[in-house]
Amino acid sequence: MENNQPKIGVIGVGHLGQHHVKHLVEMDNLSFSGIYDKNKARSEEIASTYRVKSFYSLEKLIDKSDGLTIVTPTADHFHTALECIQKGKSVFIEKPISHSVQSADSLLSAAEENNVFIQVGHIERFNPALLAVKDCQLNPKFIEVQRLAPYTSRGTDVPVVLDLMTHDIDILLSFVDSGVKSVAATGLSIMTDSVDIAHARIRFENGTVASLTSSRIAKDKVRKIKLFQKNMYVTIDMLLNLTEVYQVVNKDSTHTELTAPLNYKGTQKEIVYKKPTVLHNDALKMELENFADSLRGNSTPAVTGISGRNVLAIAEQIHDLILEDLH
Ligand code: NAD
């Protein structure tokens, strides 16, 4: 790596990969090595739009790079990532890390052997509405998450649990510092041969319970999280970028926030309403900056390969339970 400026390439420049290219070419302190897509026409189109080099051989792009982002369909993550890792290159793999826990474990072992790191593109960790709750002292006891999307053919190569619910499992694991005690799940196939709607109930060892609903058969997009804990209720709308906090506090005339009386057994408490500032950061840009910084050795990945693997293990468990329930 020259002058601590990592050379970064992108593998797979479809719907999402083109945005990786767009952000990376604009970033300072790195050198964009080029792109590779097995669809040559697509590769050339993106190369011409962003004035970058399109490689005709994956091997050559890997040789010219210090780190690679892998934005191919999920089924291809494993082989592509393994090839990069075995050539001693760190990788940013779009979510989910791979198609199976077994293959994710093989990637983790290969990364350790080759002394490289894996970052996973669980982009919601950088969602500004979620980042806005960082000062809220959260210790949620009940969490409700809804992620609904109108049907598109993209992402349907994998069941909805792997495509959409993995985002929310990752968010959940970042909120709850406890092992999973039990999982119950149900789901249905509606438009595809695979599961399109899924509901999971996860109980953690510390008593926290989460209810997750993911669907790719919806009229409107919904991405909402509700967190409940003693004296606090937080709602996060990841589409509207709106975070709201309702907190029960002792009555105090010096409060500057909006308050409402708590009409409960003559209590001397009131409800304070807060709207934490939500910054308008681009989450994809932030996670790619995190990757570049980790390659420079100035940071570590916010979502490690192990985190991505643990998300996938729960997703796999949920999906297996749904299949059991259906048959
Ligand atoms: P896409 O089908 O639009 O693009 C995939 C591209 O990869 C295509 O151009 C295809 O030609 C190319 N490709 C396929 N196999 C390849 C291979 N072996 N080598 C090189 N190129 C190959 O898919 P997409 O919607 O961009 O999704 C790509 C990945 O990103 C998936 O894993 C998906 O789950 C993930 N994704 C993540 C988010 C997020 O919010 N983080 C959103 C969308 C997609």
Side-chain angles (χ1 to χ4, degrees):
M1 193 185 313
E2 283 162 33
N3 305 323
N4 213 23
Q5 298 208 354
K7 297 189 278 298
I8 302 182
V10 176
I11 306 171
V13 288
H15 173 75
L16 185 57
Q18 66 183 317
H19 296 291
H20 279 227
V21 179
K22 180 185 84 186
H23 285 304
L24 288 166
V25 294
E26 282 176 356
M27 281 180 203
D28 294 331
N29 300 324
L30 65 82
S31 157
F32 190 79
S33 46
I35 61 178
Y36 170 79
D37 193 298
K38 75 175 188 187
N39 176 341
K40 280 189 184 148
R42 176 69 180 174
S43 198
E44 276 164 15
E45 179 199 337
I46 296 299
S48 131
T49 306
Y50 295 101
R51 297 167 190 269
V52 296
K53 186 169 167 51
S54 162
F55 285 77
Y56 294 108
S57 137
L58 174 58
E59 203 182 341
K60 286 215 169 94
L61 173 63
I62 297 174
D63 287 342
K64 293 281 180 198
S65 308
D66 299 308
L68 296 117
T69 76
I70 296 171
V71 206
T72 57
T74 302
D76 286 281
H77 288 182
F78 173 67
H79 292 290
T80 314
L82 191 63
E83 194 168 339
C84 298
I85 290 169
Q86 285 175 337
K87 283 177 157 278
K89 310 298 161 104
S90 292
V91 287
F92 174 107
I93 310 176
E94 261 309 334
K95 66 87 225 171
I97 179 170
S98 191
H99 61 282
S100 68
V101 175
Q102 201 184 12
S103 60
D105 281 336
S106 303
L107 290 179
L108 291 174
S109 308
E112 203 178 329
E113 273 163 32
N114 288 279
N115 205 16
V116 298
F117 69 85
I118 299 176
Q119 180 171 345
V120 184
H122 282 294
I123 193 167
E124 298 291 31
R125 288 281 194 101
F126 295 87
N127 186 298
L130 263 174
L131 293 178
V133 297
K134 69 177 188 313
D135 296 326
C136 282
Q137 300 191 328
L138 292 176
N139 181 21
K141 288 294 156 208
F142 182 69
I143 304 173
E144 193 186 340
V145 192
Q146 262 195 322
R147 183 176 297 262
L148 317 179
Y151 179 79
T152 68
S153 56
R154 240 181 319 104
T156 51
D157 54 325
V158 289
V160 73
V161 177
L162 276 197
D163 186 29
L164 299 186
M165 199 179 271
T166 48
H167 282 297
D168 300 317
I169 298 169
D170 177 63
I171 293 172
L172 205 57
L173 296 187
S174 74
F175 278 137
V176 187
D177 189 15
S178 175
V180 171
K181 189 174 175 194
S182 63
V183 178
T186 48
L188 271 184
S189 297
I190 308 281
M191 305 276 279
T192 71
D193 292 336
S194 154
V195 175
D196 297 314
I197 296 182
H199 176 259
R201 189 169 182 276
I202 302 177
R203 181 179 283 278
F204 290 86
E205 274 156 9
N206 68 358
T208 300
V209 171
S211 162
L212 310 180
T213 307
S214 304
S215 168
R216 51 189 177 207
I217 315 290
K219 181 172 163 286
D220 301 307
K221 267 191 177 182
V222 176
R223 286 184 196 168
K224 283 189 183 163
I225 303 179
K226 295 172 188 166
L227 302 158
F228 301 83
Q229 67 189 57
K230 186 72 184 160
N231 291 330
M232 202 191 300
Y233 167 49
V234 179
T235 67
I236 302 166
D237 190 316
M238 294 184 286
L239 276 185
L240 297 181
N241 264 348
L242 176 66
T243 301
E244 294 165 295
V245 180
Y246 301 83
Q247 205 168 356
V248 176
V249 296
N250 290 329
K251 263 195 185 146
D252 175 354
S253 56
T254 61
H255 280 137
T256 51
E257 296 99 345
L258 264 180
T259 58
L262 179 65
N263 296 322
Y264 177 66
K265 290 187 187 167
T267 173
Q268 290 302 303
K269 298 200 180 233
E270 59 190 351
I271 303 167
V272 171
Y273 171 77
K274 291 182 196 159
K275 221 164 103 176
T277 308
V278 176
L279 300 172
H280 290 277
N281 293 331
D282 187 304
L284 181 60
K285 186 172 172 214
M286 283 176 79
E287 62 176 359
L288 292 171
E289 275 168 350
N290 180 211
F291 180 57
D293 248 356
S294 303
L295 286 170
R296 289 181 202 109
N298 297 338
S299 186
T300 51
V303 185
T304 61
I306 292 170
S307 307
R309 181 261 179 224
N310 291 342
V311 168
L312 186 60
I314 296 176
E316 232 177 56
Q317 193 181 353
I318 292 172
H319 186 62
D320 288 348
L321 286 168
I322 293 173
L323 294 186
E324 259 174 45
D325 190 49
L326 285 177
H327 294 119

